[in-house]
Amino acid sequence: MTTLDLIPGRRIPAARVLFSALGLGIGALMLLPIYYLLLRAFQADLPTVWALLTRPRTGQLLINTFLLTACVLAFCTVIALPLAWLVSRTDLPGRRVINVLAVLPLAVPGYVMAYALIGLSGNYGFLNQVFGVTIPRMQGLWGASLALSLYCFPYLYLNLRAAFAGLDQGLEESARALGCGPKEVFARVTLPHLLPALMAGWLVIGLYVIGDFGAVALMRYEAFSFVIYQQYTAAFDRLYASWLALILIAIALSVVWWESRLREGASYARTGSGSGTGSKRLELGWGGRLAGWSFSGVVVLVSLGLPVAVLSFWMTRSAIGPVLHPLFNSFMQSLSVAVPSALMAALMALPVAVLAVRYPSRLSTLINRLAFVGYAIPALAFALAFVFFSLQGARWLYQTHLLLITVYALSFLALAIGPIRSAFYQTRPSIEESARALGHGPLSVFWRVTLPSIRPGVVAGMVLVFVIAMKELPIAFLLAPTGFRPLSITMFSRTSEGMLVEAAPYAAAIMAFSAIFVGFVLRHDKKAG
């Protein structure tokens, strides 16, 4: 490979220099809008800043966001833990079907689930029109918690199911042999070994809830993201919006930091000699099977049956023909940004992945961490930072497709890096070295040898970014060009205006398309049943 004499007596591969420069450029793109957000926030004098931060509403937002996150994490745990245990540890008939149905709620985004809960209630809701039962309109803390929990629990379920499958059951048998009862074995042996999976799932769900905009806005619950949007668009108080965004970013990053600190030094692998005990399933009696089926059935009915039934009800309220043309236009607009976003994210992920696998160093570690900033920061705060960047540093970018695509690629870059980096780990460097020995240059080696080897990882990363971008809401709301009406914005706007009939086809289209993501997850799922 071509080398450069940057340091006397030491030759550095030109590819490493190139990839390092590209990686640093991507890291700068991640941090540049945050810099402009800080500039905007500190334009006020200290007394003004102090007055903003000490507003009673700011403290209430902190409490509201904490309560929402705590409720969603609790609900998700109550749902996911028993489901993972039933699928992984028992002989419950139909557990493969239950596994599929437990992951399918990922196809129902939080704001679509909120739509279903709203369409369920009220005098004109599904329950009253079909069964003659009227329930109050769901809103506030409990409405937002339920909508987000029914969407997020599969993230925790997947982590817990994998942890149950990997847990050495010999540890539990040893505890039982020492006289521990079932509850004590679970509390002292099983639960501590599930803690990493719980923390990983809680981290993903917590970050999502902290930054959620759609569900909390439809449920009229004042959390940070919703109020940031209100301050920026309705109140035009951009100084307060910028400080709220910084607080939200600080909360998210502190959650990531604390999760990493709690994992430091922890070890959960067996240390004794011998091999672990094979997987053994608990035999359930008829009572246990009935209880397992009942619990699983309730979860599936609420998380899948509810949105499907409500959407079907509202879609029959009017003819579908007149809406097909605008629905197709919205779909094409979503497609117009999702495809280039996926391609850009894959192109950005390549140098980061190459540095992490082929040229590990402190610099590559720094670049890798910077690449995850966009995913760790709540979407609305990240989008607002780019609004201030474009208004102050690149006005020609403001409200353009290029800016929206770039922010999508940066925000979802972490999703593309994972599969591509894994593909690089599985590609033998000796094959590339053999190609270079045969006279091929760096570009030829990459095009003819490396890229075909990592193509499955590149495709996987692009699919993940593409599907997420198709249904993304908060970034599109702040950065969408004038007249840009993708599926998510159209569906959300009509629901917030009470136009449930008009919103139903768009919600159904989002659900149907999101099923691609779920199918992708299930296709690569090897731990079921």
Side-chain angles (χ1 to χ4, degrees):
M1 184 175 286
T2 305
T3 57
L4 297 176
D5 293 315
L6 295 180
I7 301 176
R10 184 178 179 183
R11 299 175 70 81
I12 300 176
R16 180 172 186 170
V17 175
L18 174 62
F19 289 136
S20 297
L22 291 173
L24 288 173
I26 293 169
L29 278 177
M30 288 287 188
L31 297 179
L32 186 62
I34 309 301
Y35 168 73
Y36 275 90
L37 183 61
L38 288 168
L39 282 183
R40 181 67 182 89
F42 283 100
Q43 283 180 354
D45 54 24
L46 189 59
T48 303
V49 171
W50 180 253
L52 290 173
L53 295 179
T54 55
R55 283 184 184 180
R57 192 183 191 189
T58 305
Q60 188 61 51
L61 288 175
L62 284 170
I63 295 173
N64 289 353
T65 303
F66 172 78
L67 289 175
L68 178 64
T69 306
C71 288
V72 172
L73 292 179
F75 289 161
C76 287
T77 305
V78 169
I79 296 171
L81 185 57
L83 273 181
W85 179 78
L86 285 169
V87 170
S88 304
R89 286 300 187 86
T90 72
D91 66 344
L92 182 69
R95 58 184 179 274
R96 290 183 179 272
V97 176
I98 293 173
N99 176 71
V100 173
L101 295 177
V103 181
L104 276 177
L106 290 176
V108 191
Y111 58 90
V112 175
M113 191 67 75
Y115 165 90
L117 293 174
I118 293 171
L120 183 74
S121 55
N123 293 328
Y124 299 98
F126 170 77
L127 279 180
N128 186 48
Q129 295 295 315
V130 176
F131 299 104
V133 177
T134 304
I135 61 174
R137 183 189 188 277
M138 291 193 183
Q139 60 182 358
L141 174 61
W142 298 115
S145 297
L146 186 57
L148 292 172
S149 299
L150 293 175
Y151 167 65
C152 289
F153 82 83
Y155 292 113
L156 185 58
Y157 164 79
L158 289 169
N159 279 279
L160 288 172
R161 198 205 54 206
F164 271 121
L167 175 60
D168 181 7
Q169 295 186 27
L171 300 173
E172 297 169 313
E173 293 178 0
S174 298
R176 284 191 289 270
L178 292 173
C180 295
K183 293 182 180 180
E184 194 174 7
V185 170
F186 180 81
R188 300 181 64 178
V189 179
T190 308
L191 189 58
H193 284 80
L194 295 179
L195 190 58
L198 284 168
M199 291 173 60
W202 287 342
L203 176 64
V204 172
I205 295 171
L207 290 176
Y208 181 85
V209 172
I210 289 171
D212 178 74
F213 166 73
V216 296
L218 290 178
M219 290 297 179
R220 301 174 185 174
Y221 183 70
E222 287 204 340
F224 266 101
S225 291
F226 182 38
V227 175
I228 289 171
Y229 178 77
Q230 284 183 321
Q231 293 297 319
Y232 178 76
T233 59
F236 298 103
D237 190 348
R238 297 185 176 181
L239 181 62
Y240 190 42
S242 62
W243 273 105
L244 290 179
L246 287 175
I247 294 173
L248 189 60
I249 291 172
I251 293 172
L253 294 181
S254 65
V255 169
V256 175
W257 184 81
W258 275 108
E259 192 272 342
S260 64
R261 290 285 296 175
L262 290 173
R263 284 189 289 105
E264 284 182 3
S267 177
Y268 299 94
R270 59 181 289 120
T271 56
S273 59
S275 60
T277 302
S279 177
K280 297 179 181 179
R281 295 191 176 274
L282 177 66
E283 295 183 5
L284 298 176
W286 280 108
R289 292 181 178 183
L290 183 60
W293 284 329
S294 299
F295 178 80
S296 304
V298 170
V299 172
V300 171
L301 182 65
V302 176
S303 62
L304 288 176
L306 170 64
V308 170
V310 172
L311 279 174
S312 300
F313 167 76
W314 285 106
M315 287 184 68
T316 59
R317 300 287 94 181
S318 65
I320 192 66
V323 95
L324 288 179
H325 182 66
L327 179 63
F328 177 76
N329 288 338
S330 288
F331 176 80
M332 294 305 296
Q333 291 198 21
S334 296
L335 206 64
S336 69
V337 294
V339 171
S341 298
L343 180 60
M344 183 181 289
L347 292 174
M348 289 181 176
L350 281 171
V352 178
V354 169
L355 286 173
V357 179
R358 295 289 187 260
Y359 307 106
S361 65
R362 291 183 178 179
L363 179 61
S364 64
T365 300
L366 172 64
I367 291 172
N368 187 74
R369 290 178 178 175
L370 288 176
F372 279 78
V373 167
Y375 195 69
I377 293 177
L380 198 73
F382 196 59
L384 185 63
F386 271 94
V387 168
F388 289 126
F389 161 68
S390 60
L391 287 175
Q392 299 180 45
R395 187 173 288 274
W396 57 273
L397 268 178
Y398 182 63
Q399 286 194 332
T400 63
H401 282 81
L402 177 60
L403 181 62
L404 180 59
I405 290 167
T406 302
V407 177
Y408 273 168
L410 291 171
S411 183
F412 307 134
L413 179 59
L415 297 177
I417 289 175
I420 295 175
R421 186 171 56 191
S422 298
F424 267 114
Y425 276 123
Q426 295 171 355
T427 303
R428 290 183 295 174
S430 59
I431 300 177
E432 299 171 348
E433 294 169 1
S434 299
R436 287 193 291 270
L438 292 173
H440 291 278
L443 291 178
S444 178
V445 171
F446 180 81
W447 184 258
R448 296 189 177 189
V449 179
T450 307
L451 189 59
S453 301
I454 65 170
R455 186 179 292 120
V458 174
V459 172
M462 291 180 65
V463 168
L464 288 173
V465 175
F466 171 69
V467 177
I468 295 297
M470 282 291 292
K471 63 180 182 179
E472 199 282 330
L473 177 64
I475 294 176
F477 238 117
L478 280 187
L479 298 179
T482 303
F484 184 70
R485 305 289 292 180
L487 291 172
S488 58
I489 291 182
T490 305
M491 177 262 162
F492 177 86
S493 299
R494 296 187 177 187
T495 303
S496 61
E497 295 169 4
M499 302 166 64
L500 298 182
V501 175
E502 292 78 1
Y506 297 89
I510 292 170
M511 277 184 59
F513 197 84
S514 298
I516 296 176
F517 171 70
V518 179
F520 182 82
V521 172
L522 292 174
R523 182 181 176 185
H524 292 77
D525 185 12
K526 304 298 183 184
K527 297 183 181 293

